[in-house]
């Protein structure tokens, strides 16, 4: 899906199991602030116990770090082609390198990063062609399912998804790519869940997440809040078409929605 730009501030995600807590990925604004793959002598070490840094719940450190890194990836705080080391990221998060390394291994399985021996993990570089291919595969999977659901799901069930569609508009209005990405996936997940096929939902979710990763050369300012809001309003239009069982409009909207991601 189209992603808007976030400012230079690091991405924040809710801390699992502790409402209101957050984990922050540091800003990329300057060399002294950037999360680097190599721990050079020119980069000052982060303080061992920065004042005001949120404490991560030890019972779910790995999961929280995975979520934080995913959000940072979508927000552009982890840049394509850059190498990041687990020890340095661990210092930034206030945890040991082990849960960060485990989280990065999960991102490697998902295809977001690749291992660089003795250095850390490089964010995968990808271009417009890969994004277009993901959009095509998503359309091949989701369009037939949505058309089938449009014929069978009663209008009241679709109406129950209205709050999720409206939530994507609010998330888009924030201008935060990571916030919108999570809300966007939530809406599509809810729609596809009506099929009752959890394997389908999981595969579509993986493709969707990959489609949200930044492209090579992308950076702050490439996508604005208006782009996100326009993308989000397609969700409400899609719900209207599904309720009306207008299959032609459903097909056109979903096709345009995915094409926008490319």
């Amino acid at each position: 899906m189209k992603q808007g730009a976030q400012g230079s501030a690091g991405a924040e995600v809710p801390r699992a199991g502790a409402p209101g807590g957050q984990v922050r990925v540091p800003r990329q604004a300057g060399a002294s602030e950037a999360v680097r793959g190599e721990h050079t002598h020119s980069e000052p070490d982060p303080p061992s116990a920065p004042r005001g840094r949120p404490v991560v719940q030890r019972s779910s450190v790995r999961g929280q770090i995975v979520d934080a890194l995913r959000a940072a990836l979508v927000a552009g705080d982890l840049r394509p082609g850059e190498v990041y080391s687990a020890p340095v990221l661990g210092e930034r998060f206030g945890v040991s390198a082990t849960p960060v390394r485990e989280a990065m291994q999960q991102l490697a399985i998902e295809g977001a990063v690749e291992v660089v021996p003795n250095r850390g993990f490089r964010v995968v570089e990808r271009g417009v062609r890969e994004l277009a291919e993901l959009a095509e595969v998503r359309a091949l999977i989701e369009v037939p399912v949505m058309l089938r659901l449009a014929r069978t799901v009663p209008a009241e069930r679709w109406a129950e998804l209205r709050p999720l569609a409206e939530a994507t508009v609010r998330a888009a209005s924030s201008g935060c790519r990571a916030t919108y990405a999570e809300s966007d996936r939530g809406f599509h997940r809810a729609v596809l869940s009506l099929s009752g096929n959890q394997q389908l939902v999981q595969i579509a979710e993986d493709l969707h997440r990959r489609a949200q990763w930044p492209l090579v050369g992308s950076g702050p300012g490439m996508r604005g809040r208006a782009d996100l809001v326009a993308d989000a309003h397609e969700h409400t239009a899609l719900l209207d078409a599904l309720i009306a069982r207008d299959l032609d409009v459903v097909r056109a909207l979903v096709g345009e929605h995915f094409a926008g991601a490319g």
Side-chain angles (χ1 to χ4, degrees):
M1 315 297 290
K2 296 180 291 185
Q3 300 302 326
Q6 188 185 29
S8 62
E12 294 183 352
V13 294
R15 187 178 61 188
Q22 294 174 325
V23 175
R24 178 178 286 277
V25 171
R27 294 181 296 170
Q28 297 287 330
S32 64
E33 294 178 306
V35 183
R36 300 178 182 275
E38 62 282 355
H39 198 170
T40 64
H41 293 293
S42 62
E43 179 185 10
D45 289 336
S48 58
R51 171 179 268 176
R53 181 173 58 198
V55 178
V56 178
Q57 292 287 332
R58 292 294 177 182
S59 60
S60 56
V61 172
R62 177 182 175 276
Q64 293 174 63
I65 298 300
V66 168
D67 289 342
L69 291 174
R70 284 172 173 165
L73 184 69
V74 173
D77 293 316
L78 297 180
R79 302 177 183 278
E82 293 290 326
V83 178
Y84 300 88
S85 72
V88 173
L89 285 175
E91 289 176 341
R92 301 285 182 168
F93 285 132
V95 298
S96 70
T98 299
V100 176
R101 190 173 291 110
E102 293 173 348
M104 280 293 201
Q105 291 288 357
Q106 176 60 40
L107 292 183
I109 293 173
E110 296 174 5
V113 301
E114 57 189 10
V115 177
V116 180
N118 302 318
R119 291 188 62 194
F121 301 84
R122 178 185 290 112
V123 178
V124 171
E125 298 179 273
R126 63 195 196 106
V128 174
R129 178 172 180 174
E130 180 178 345
L131 192 58
E133 290 174 350
L134 285 168
E136 181 180 7
V137 175
R138 290 186 64 203
L140 288 172
I141 293 175
E142 295 192 37
V143 172
V145 174
M146 289 190 186
L147 291 175
R148 174 168 59 84
L149 293 175
R151 298 185 185 97
T152 59
V153 174
E156 55 268 23
R157 291 296 304 279
W158 292 122
E160 293 173 0
L161 302 186
R162 182 76 63 181
L164 290 177
E166 293 172 348
T168 67
V169 177
R170 291 194 298 272
S173 297
S174 74
C176 175
R177 292 171 58 182
T179 300
Y180 177 66
E182 182 66 29
S183 182
D184 182 24
R185 290 198 310 275
F187 174 77
H188 282 265
R189 187 188 311 121
V191 170
L192 295 178
S193 292
L194 294 177
S195 70
N197 188 331
Q198 290 306 306
Q199 297 302 315
L200 167 70
V201 173
Q202 291 176 13
I203 291 172
E205 174 98 356
D206 177 66
L207 292 170
H208 195 167
R209 190 186 301 279
R210 292 173 60 189
Q212 294 172 332
W213 298 339
L215 297 176
V216 172
S218 64
M222 287 197 67
R223 296 291 183 182
R225 181 176 300 162
D227 298 298
L228 293 181
V229 171
D231 195 67
H233 277 302
E234 292 176 359
H235 295 146
T236 57
L238 175 60
L239 270 186
D240 292 337
L242 289 167
I243 290 172
R245 294 192 174 182
D246 191 331
L247 302 187
D248 290 336
V249 174
V250 170
R251 184 183 291 106
L253 280 173
V254 178
E256 292 173 4
H257 201 54
F258 292 155

